[in-house]
């Protein structure tokens, strides 16, 4: 079956999720990936949305972080202060998801402003939960489609921290969590270099070349010694994902 | 002590120009009807506080009521930008908008500290990020036991909190259920409060022993506004009008279409007419 | 991740000599059966933590298991003293007991901070009183915004939390209802936990969207012990045995009557026999 | 009708309670007084017990602070951390009740130790909620039967603060709450002297003399310029109180 860049990005992300994970899920691709995993190989996965829903099992994807569907299917729903205190800061989350308008080669993200903070060219939505998701979750997956204005050599603003200025930055701030362990894009998979913590390509999606990757990236892309080939989405993965998206689209049109 | 009154009287009596107001709601139970009444009454120079300012705050800003916004994520969830907010921040239209920006964790803790009558909250956050460089209200304390340095945020203590809830009983106690967000904290942290409700009942009846209830002696005004959270939702009453949120993007993108929509649907409309859309699925936006 | 097991296995695997343990319960849901198993297994040199140590802690102390107690109110509620605790503090019998004493507000905040993974809690307390003179763990921080000096307490992070709850489902999620005290916080603050429950159900079924539930991935061991809170109570299952609490005063007043009672009812009895009294009203004590 | 010293103490306390009060209620005499008020002249009074029950209306008096009866009849029940953070520290409580093993003439209380703290002669239960009830409630009523070992010139330990060393002590600590406004005993009513904050007698119960009061008090008792006579318990007050106590006794014997 043929598939879109967004579909393979979502499916690749879903494959890394384990049934034992406790995930702090954001809207959009993370939500799609998590629910795809739940509906395929990770039925026991625990999904938590920052609106307070613990252990939710939505039948359609939420448009927003607090859709009623999330609450209806949750084990229980807690207040937002409790969510951020007991559950996120409490160190209960094994895996957080982040995306952003802009990223650098260490997985730092900007979702705050383009241009000067006081006089921005583009005012973005802001950090929301991201700064503390980045520091409190056991590890972080980032899902972003590549383009050279998003994958930047230097960010105008750091909204959430990845590996900072490289290896050792997180430890220097007293963080014992792993930070971004995977950056999943529409073209390839990045993982931190064990020596430098720079995000380097460890697998390339079918039909993608190194030139195509570099063309969409504002920093000089580095590659692992052994770069894998991403297995193409299976028919089952695509069918489950498309079914989920179709149900979602129908529900949101109401 | 909770007093039942009309929406216009509640907003007139409880909110004055220049005050700070938190209209909270985390996707669920956003107090649109009350916010629209604030717009109709043309309050000025407000400081508006909310973790997730969405369309309602876009409208307040676009109508020129707002001097400052305290927030942690300002967007149209799952759709995109708040165009009126961006126009104010990027172009100063219709007037300059000051921002005090925090993370969700900071705001949630700040409301909690406000409800607990503390001057500040302590949390573990803002590691390795730039926001503390541009927000002087992000500070720190040192743990007197471990020496760890932790982030602090001033408690949020709004002049007025405005929320929408599911039910009030005739004594004026208020019940929330489902995604309860920070609304209880916002009311407890505020000097006064307005609560719109879907329904007024004689008695809450059988319920969880641990139901989320605000006693009548914590509330200022209660107003019966069925549909008062539309196009957001009220659990068990009506669903979120996702199509409205999607449709808002085109309305708010241009100043003219925004102004025309506000005139027709808010300024020259009654609270009931817009809230009534909650019960007539699909014909909105 | 919650594992279903026997009471003896749970206590053997999760609690070791010298550890700190919080057996919480605020009148409701006090984990007597589990505490008695701790006594049967003869754990030593424990640090026991609880806001309101009552008869169960009197028993642990009187049986010589305890090196230190962290607490805020130690008595037999509505009845009088804990005689075994007093004997330990006043006479060093059966061994010296160190006390770390706080107020309820401090303890409640300290559990909350533990659950929130903070090293300490801030609150407004201890004004004009003597406890800070005798407890070096009562300290202060200065608000970075207002300059106000506030009291602090170290977070409580027990090695083990032991609680009794109403129900677990087959996946190992645990539900509490009614007077929930600080039990959720105690479990979240602890490194491991044992939860005894009245009932194991296939599914919790219809319930409040905001029910107090501890997910299975926050819990160590779950043990099915009907009556496990007796002579305390389990809401909807059995009432508090007030007569037992009143009768305990005479039993615990003298070392000999205490020892005899413990031998007959705990050391040489099974968990089920004592817990079973919950369902046979009136024949206890 | 004749009555006991405890009965008049409870009844006098109940008379001062207003239907608009939000009371933080302790076990024993405060609980009896509050529920008597609720069942007579103050039906709208809000009773809060520190176990988390908000707006409770028990049919029998609780033996402990967390009896099921309190929860069954409450508007709702919150966690104990929330009780102490949002409700007590939150400044929501208009009236708190305290009692103690020992009291001084400024309404400071000891419920911690008799003798040296490290080597006590008598180890008392400790403060529980008292230190913060004393500072956070709008005002405080103290209910205690008089005897010279309890009404002391100098306390060995201050568990909760009344008026400290006298007028101005509370303000010096930044407290804006009133502290003890009434000390209700089995013999008389004390209220703070407006000039000194010392607790002075403002009303004497029927049949009690100044000599009887001084005999039960370890400090030299002072009197207001005008000392009232406490109206004797009415038949209705006694009947309602005794009925409540009888129901309670029957329930607790179970």
């Amino acid at each position: 079956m043929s598939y879109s860049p967004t579909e393979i990005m979502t499916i690749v992300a879903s494959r890394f999720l384990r049934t034992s994970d406790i995930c702090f899920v954001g809207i959009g691709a993370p939500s799609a990936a998590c629910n795809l995993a739940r509906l395929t190989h990770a039925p026991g996965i625990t999904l938590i949305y920052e609106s307070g829903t613990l252990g939710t099992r939505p039948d359609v994807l939420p448009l927003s972080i607090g859709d009623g569907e999330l609450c209806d299917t949750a084990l229980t729903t807690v207040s937002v202060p409790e969510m951020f205190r007991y559950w996120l800061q409490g160190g209960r989350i094994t895996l957080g998801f982040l995306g952003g308008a802009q990223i650098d080669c260490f997985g730092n993200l900007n979702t705050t402003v383009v241009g000067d903070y006081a006089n921005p060219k583009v005012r973005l939505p802001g950090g929301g939960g991201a700064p503390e998701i980045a520091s409190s979750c056991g590890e972080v997956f980032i899902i972003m489609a590549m383009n050279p204005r998003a994958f930047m050599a230097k960010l105008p603003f750091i909204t959430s921290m990845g590996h900072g200025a490289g290896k050792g930055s997180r430890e220097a701030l007293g963080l014992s969590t792993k930070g971004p362990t995977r950056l999943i894009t529409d073209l390839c998979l990045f993982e931190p270099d064990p020596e430098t913590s720079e995000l380097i390509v460890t697998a390339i999606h079918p039909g993608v070349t190194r030139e195509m990757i570099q063309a969409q990236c504002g920093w000089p892309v580095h590659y692992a010694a052994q770069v894998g080939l991403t297995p193409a989405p299976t028919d089952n993965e695509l069918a489950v994902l498309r079914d989920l998206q179709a149900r979602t689209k129908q529900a949101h049109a109401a | 002590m909770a007093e039942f009154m009309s929406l216009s009287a509640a907003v007139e009596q409880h909110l004055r120009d220049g005050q700070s107001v938190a209209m909270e709601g985390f996707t669920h139970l956003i107090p649109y009807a009350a916010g629209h009444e604030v717009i109709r009454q043309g309050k000025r120079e407000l400081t508006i506080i909310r973790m997730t300012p969405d369309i309602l705050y876009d409208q307040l800003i676009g109508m020129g009521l707002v001097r400052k916004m305290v927030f942690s994520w300002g967007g149209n969830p799952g759709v995109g930008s708040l165009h009126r907010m961006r126009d104010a921040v990027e172009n100063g239209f219709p007037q300059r908008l000051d921002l005090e920006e925090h993370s969700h964790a900071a705001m949630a803790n700040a409301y909690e500290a406000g409800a607990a009558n503390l001057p500040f909250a302590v949390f573990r956050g803002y590691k390795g990020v730039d926001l503390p460089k541009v927000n002087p209200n992000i500070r720190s304390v040192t743990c007197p036991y471990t020496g760890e340095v932790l982030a602090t945020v001033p408690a949020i203590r709004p002049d007025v909190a405005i929320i929408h809830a599911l039910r009030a009983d005739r004594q004026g106690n208020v019940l929330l259920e489902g995604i309860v967000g920070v609304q209880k904290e916002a009311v407890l942290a505020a000097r006064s409060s307005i609560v719109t409700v879907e329904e007024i009942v004689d008695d809450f009846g059988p319920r969880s022993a641990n139901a989320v209830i605000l006693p009548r002696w914590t509330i200022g005004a209660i107003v019966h506004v069925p549909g008062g959270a539309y196009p957001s939702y009220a659990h068990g009453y009506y669903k979120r009008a996702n199509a409205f949120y999607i449709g808002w993007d085109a309305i708010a993108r241009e100043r003219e279409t925004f102004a025309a929509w506000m005139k027709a649907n808010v300024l020259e409309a009654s609270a009931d007419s817009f809230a009534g859309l909650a019960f007539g699925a699909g014909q909105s936006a």
Side-chain angles (χ1 to χ4, degrees), chain A, chain B:
Chain A
M1 252 196 274
S2 72
Y3 50 84
S4 72
T6 302
E7 285 175 334
I8 191 169
M9 182 167 73
T10 305
I11 287 167
V12 169
S14 80
R15 289 173 181 165
F16 292 115
L17 302 175
R18 294 144 296 208
T19 202
S20 61
D21 271 323
I22 320 287
C23 299
F24 206 80
V25 187
I27 288 303
S31 184
C34 284
N35 282 288
L36 176 58
R38 183 172 64 79
L39 297 170
T40 55
H41 67 281
I45 195 168
T46 298
L47 305 187
I48 295 177
Y49 289 73
E50 66 190 8
S51 54
T53 54
L54 292 178
T56 182
R57 310 172 70 79
D59 188 50
V60 302
L61 298 177
L63 181 67
S64 92
I65 204 81
D67 280 15
E69 174 83 2
L70 296 174
C71 178
D72 284 334
T73 62
L75 181 62
T76 192
T77 298
V78 301
S79 75
V80 165
E82 178 177 326
M83 176 54 68
F84 281 94
R85 287 175 72 81
Y86 291 1
W87 303 95
L88 181 61
Q89 182 177 269
R92 297 280 163 191
I93 315 292
T94 64
L95 180 60
F97 286 89
L98 291 173
Q102 299 178 327
I103 187 170
D104 69 17
C105 71
F106 292 113
N108 304 300
L109 291 166
N110 174 27
T111 60
T112 304
V113 285
V114 176
D116 179 54
Y117 183 81
N119 294 292
K121 217 179 315 177
V122 182
R123 175 64 228 196
L124 300 166
E132 287 75 24
I133 291 171
S135 58
S136 291
C137 294
E139 61 184 310
V140 170
F141 286 3
I142 300 170
I143 305 183
M144 280 175 73
M146 293 190 72
N147 88 58
R149 289 171 310 284
F151 282 59
M152 295 185 77
K154 179 154 176 51
L155 298 178
F157 194 94
I158 296 180
T159 306
S160 66
M161 187 195 191
H163 297 288
K167 188 87 181 165
S169 285
R170 295 180 66 87
E171 292 77 1
L173 292 170
L175 295 174
S176 56
T177 50
K178 287 183 190 163
T181 54
R182 291 194 173 92
L183 162 61
I184 298 133
T185 78
D186 50 343
L187 301 180
C188 62
L189 171 69
F190 290 82
E191 295 179 283
D193 183 317
E195 303 295 316
T196 64
S197 291
E198 180 182 326
L199 295 170
I200 60 173
V201 174
T202 56
I204 299 181
H205 300 345
V208 174
T209 64
R210 293 192 179 200
E211 291 66 33
M212 290 163 66
I213 293 170
Q214 186 62 68
Q216 301 300 323
C217 192
W219 71 76
V221 178
H222 295 110
Y223 290 82
Q226 296 223 327
V227 176
L229 174 66
T230 306
T234 67
D235 288 356
N236 183 55
E237 286 169 333
L238 282 168
V240 174
L241 176 60
R242 287 172 184 176
D243 192 41
L244 179 63
Q245 301 281 22
R247 281 202 304 278
T248 297
K249 195 171 174 186
Q250 193 175 18
H252 292 179
Chain B
M1 185 61 69
E3 203 181 338
F4 290 92
M5 56 177 85
S6 71
L7 185 55
S8 59
V11 172
E12 268 167 34
Q13 289 179 32
H14 285 271
L15 180 62
R16 293 193 302 275
D17 290 350
Q19 286 192 320
S20 61
V21 56
M23 305 183 194
E24 271 294 350
F26 211 88
T27 306
H28 184 211
L29 295 175
I30 299 170
Y32 273 91
H36 285 174
E37 180 60 25
V38 171
I39 293 171
R40 272 190 294 276
Q41 293 191 14
K43 304 288 181 185
R44 307 285 305 172
E45 296 291 305
L46 299 176
T47 291
I48 59 175
I49 304 167
R50 188 157 154 215
M51 292 182 66
T52 54
D54 72 340
I55 294 177
L56 179 59
Y57 275 31
D58 211 30
Q59 295 173 341
L60 292 163
I61 293 166
M63 295 300 284
L65 278 65
V66 183
R67 181 176 53 78
K68 178 181 176 182
M69 181 166 77
V70 182
F71 79 113
S72 41
W73 191 88
N76 184 346
V79 179
S81 289
L82 295 180
H83 299 293
R84 296 300 95 222
M85 176 190 116
R86 283 186 54 183
D87 206 10
V89 174
E90 296 168 14
N91 310 310
F93 181 90
Q95 63 187 45
R96 191 170 66 96
L97 175 67
D98 292 337
L99 296 181
E100 178 174 338
E101 186 169 1
H102 295 278
S103 68
H104 276 356
M107 291 279 286
N109 274 287
Y111 274 116
E112 205 277 352
N117 190 28
L118 290 172
F120 74 110
V122 178
F123 65 108
R124 193 179 280 114
Y126 288 132
K127 296 278 189 184
V129 302
D130 284 343
L131 205 56
K133 297 175 187 165
V134 296
N135 180 347
N137 264 343
I138 301 172
R139 298 184 190 168
S140 65
V141 292
T142 301
C143 171
Y145 307 98
T146 64
E148 181 180 351
V149 176
L150 293 121
T152 64
V153 60
I156 294 176
R157 302 303 302 259
D159 290 315
V160 186
I162 301 181
I163 68 166
H164 186 75
L166 298 183
R167 287 183 280 291
D169 67 18
R170 301 224 178 265
Q171 295 193 289
N173 302 300
V174 166
L175 182 140
L176 298 161
E177 199 165 34
I179 292 178
V180 294
V182 293
Q183 285 98 302
K184 177 169 159 177
E185 285 75 14
V187 168
L188 295 179
R191 281 163 192 76
S192 82
S193 57
I194 301 170
V195 181
T196 56
V197 296
E198 284 299 321
E199 196 178 357
I200 296 174
V201 297
D202 288 336
D203 185 278
F204 293 135
R207 61 188 181 275
S208 160
N210 307 110
V212 181
I213 292 177
L214 283 161
R216 66 189 188 284
W217 35 273
T218 63
I219 289 168
I222 298 183
V223 186
H224 185 207
V225 188
Y230 177 86
S232 150
Y233 72 105
H235 213 113
Y237 291 87
Y238 46 91
K239 286 184 189 285
R240 189 172 192 266
N242 284 325
F244 183 94
Y245 278 83
I246 294 167
W248 180 254
D249 194 72
I251 294 167
R253 195 175 287 272
E254 303 300 330
R255 296 172 184 175
E256 296 69 27
T257 48
F258 168 75
W261 192 93
M262 292 301 293
K263 184 159 183 266
N265 292 279
V266 179
L267 294 181
E268 298 181 349
S270 70
D272 291 345
S273 67
F274 187 72
L277 296 174
F279 307 102
Q283 65 253 47
S284 62

